[in-house]
């Protein structure tokens, strides 16, 4: 029910945005020249150049001379002035496909080394705006027009609608056009020797899982701090494929594997471990956590980690800042 209601709301947002736009609506096509992520630890992935939002043909309006107003007649309509986009902060959006519609949640806002809650972000910039969208491997892949944020009572989250759908299903991080972000090369590793699988098993055993099983695992290498030392991130899961119940040994986690001093350390970024010895229906359709972006949003030179939450009837995302040994959640929204 939440999924269908949210999809209807997004559809209404999309049509409302198109109908209310003061500029002509044109047919467009989006180019998607995103290179594949490297399958080994060898070659680096170079971020592709941006794909601009393609506009249409502009039509000049005829000159118009306003009539002399009658001071005794009250005006029927009034239009507020368009807000100028802020320069000291940007809303942060996260989007993905939901029932074939591209839905964008407002995660909150970001300033230079400052994080803002969604309601504060809306109070500072409640208008429509142009956003740049950043994929896993590509900075500023699209530039799109977004509507003003609309609050969804069902999800208790703000949603931003776009005037055109995106063809891809990968998650996008959106900021206002002109807000500077940074990405670095990300390599996906093939764990042929099983080193990171074994690191995950050892970590789960230390957390009290007696005989961990690893059904799916993805490993990424990236230099978060820009100091020339790579960190490794692991997403791993073992869940009932129908996700109706959970039992002891089920889990979905995102881990960071880094060198602290002279020692390799594996730590939790986010995740759930289930410990009931009997099938437990109190956690129906448990969420799956996956890594979807590494991007510097607050302009401090360090990349934030974006984790998508995949749910039975919805999705969401969380933003994490890695500060030395600390993992700090800064923004979040899900439905």
């Amino acid at each position: 029910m939440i999924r269908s209601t949210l999809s209807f709301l997004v559809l209404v947002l999309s049509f409302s945005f198109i109908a209310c736009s003061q500029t002509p609506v044109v047919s467009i096509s989006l180019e998607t020249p995103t290179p594949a992520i490297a399958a080994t630890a060898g070659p680096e992935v170079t971020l592709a150049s941006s794909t601009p939002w393609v506009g249409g043909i502009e039509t000049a309006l005829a000159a118009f001379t306003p009539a002399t107003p009658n001071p005794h007649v009250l005006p029927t309509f009034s239009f507020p002035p368009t807000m100028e986009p802020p320069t000291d902060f940007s809303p942060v959006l996260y989007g993905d496909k939901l029932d074939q519609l591209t839905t964008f949640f407002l995660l909150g806002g970001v300033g230079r080394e400052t994080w803002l809650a969604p309601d504060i972000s809306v109070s500072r910039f409640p208008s429509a705006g142009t956003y740049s969208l950043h994929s896993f491997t590509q900075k500023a892949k699209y530039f799109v027009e977004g509507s003003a944020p609309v609050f969804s009572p069902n999800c208790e989250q703000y949603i931003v609608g776009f005037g055109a759908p995106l063809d891809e299903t990968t998650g996008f991080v959106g900021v206002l056009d002109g807000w500077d972000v940074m990405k670095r090369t990300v390599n996906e590793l093939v764990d042929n020797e099983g080193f990171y699988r074994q690191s995950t098993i050892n970590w789960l055993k230390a957390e009290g899982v007696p005989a961990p099983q690893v059904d799916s695992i993805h490993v990424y290498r990236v230099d978060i701090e820009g100091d020339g030392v790579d960190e490794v991130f692991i997403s791993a899961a073992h869940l009932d494929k129908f996700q109706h119940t959970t039992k002891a040994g089920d889990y979905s986690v995102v881990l960071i594997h880094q060198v602290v001093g002279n020692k390799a350390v594996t730590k939790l970024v986010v995740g759930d471990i289930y410990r009931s010895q009997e099938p437990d229906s109190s956690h129906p359709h448990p969420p799956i956590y996956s890594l979807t972006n590494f991007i510097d949003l607050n302009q401090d030179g360090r990349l934030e980690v974006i984790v998508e939450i995949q749910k039975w009837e919805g999705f969401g995302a969380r933003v994490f800042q890695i500060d030395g040994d600390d993992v700090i959640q800064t923004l979040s929204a899900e439905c």
Side-chain angles (χ1 to χ4, degrees):
M1 181 62 181
I2 293 176
R3 187 185 188 94
S4 60
T5 303
L6 178 58
S7 299
F8 176 75
L9 176 58
V10 174
L11 184 61
V12 171
L13 272 172
S14 298
F15 281 112
S16 299
F17 177 74
I18 294 172
C20 296
S21 175
Q22 296 183 13
T23 58
V25 178
V26 297
S27 175
I28 61 170
S29 62
L30 301 178
E31 301 177 6
T32 55
T34 306
I37 299 175
T40 66
E44 293 185 342
V45 177
T46 302
L47 302 182
S49 60
S50 62
T51 301
W53 185 257
V54 181
I57 300 174
E58 295 185 358
T59 303
L61 299 179
F64 174 73
T65 303
T68 302
N70 185 341
H72 301 292
V73 179
L74 295 176
T76 304
F77 302 102
S78 63
F79 298 94
T82 302
M83 288 188 62
E84 289 293 330
T87 59
D88 60 340
F89 100 105
S90 169
V92 178
L93 311 181
Y94 184 82
D96 211 332
K97 282 289 185 70
L98 183 64
D99 284 345
Q100 303 306 311
L101 296 173
T102 305
T103 303
F104 277 79
F105 288 124
L106 175 65
L107 300 181
V110 61
R112 291 174 178 81
E113 304 188 27
T114 302
W115 304 98
L116 305 175
D119 55 344
I120 297 176
S121 298
V122 170
S123 68
R124 293 190 62 181
F125 187 68
S127 299
T130 302
Y131 291 85
S132 58
L133 303 184
H134 311 277
S135 70
F136 197 101
T137 58
Q138 187 170 338
K139 177 181 175 180
K141 184 165 189 180
Y142 300 123
F143 294 92
V144 293
E145 295 290 334
S147 68
V150 175
F151 187 75
S152 166
N154 290 319
C155 294
E156 298 185 342
Q157 303 291 347
Y158 287 95
I159 297 174
V160 174
F162 287 162
L166 300 178
D167 294 332
E168 299 171 67
T169 59
T170 54
F172 285 98
V173 176
V175 295
L176 283 175
D177 181 24
W179 183 257
D180 188 30
V181 301
M182 180 180 62
K183 293 177 66 66
R184 295 192 181 99
T185 301
V186 179
N187 289 318
E188 182 169 12
L189 306 181
V190 176
D191 191 21
N192 290 326
E193 303 299 323
F195 175 81
Y196 294 109
R197 178 180 293 267
Q198 189 59 51
S199 295
T200 302
I201 290 173
N202 293 343
W203 183 88
L204 289 166
K205 286 181 177 179
E207 291 296 314
V209 180
Q213 299 181 47
V214 180
D215 293 341
S216 65
I217 185 170
H218 295 277
V219 184
Y220 301 98
R221 188 184 69 199
V222 57
D223 182 0
I224 289 290
E225 299 174 337
D227 58 358
V229 178
D230 289 343
E231 286 76 30
V232 172
F233 290 85
I234 305 167
S235 64
H238 171 67
L239 292 168
D240 170 23
K241 65 178 180 178
F242 298 109
Q243 293 182 252
H244 293 315
T245 60
T246 61
K247 60 184 182 300
D250 287 351
Y251 66 89
S252 176
V253 296
V254 171
L255 307 174
I256 178 174
H257 187 80
Q258 61 184 157
V259 176
V260 178
N262 295 322
K263 184 178 180 181
V265 177
T266 302
K267 297 181 297 187
L268 178 69
V269 175
V270 63
D272 299 315
I273 299 175
Y274 304 95
R275 305 181 185 279
S276 173
Q277 295 300 321
E278 299 296 329
D280 185 359
S281 59
S282 62
H283 300 286
H285 315 305
I288 298 176
Y289 302 96
S290 57
L291 293 154
T292 59
N293 222 310
F294 300 92
I295 183 170
D296 179 17
L297 294 169
N298 65 347
Q299 303 177 359
D300 68 347
R302 295 177 296 180
L303 305 185
E304 279 74 58
V305 180
I306 316 297
V307 176
E308 180 170 294
I309 308 164
Q310 301 167 341
K311 305 173 70 174
W312 181 258
E313 292 189 330
F315 75 98
R318 299 180 188 179
V319 179
F320 295 92
Q321 191 172 19
I322 309 299
D323 186 5
D325 294 343
D326 298 325
V327 177
I328 304 166
Q329 179 176 304
T330 59
L331 300 176
S332 176
E334 60 187 276
C335 181

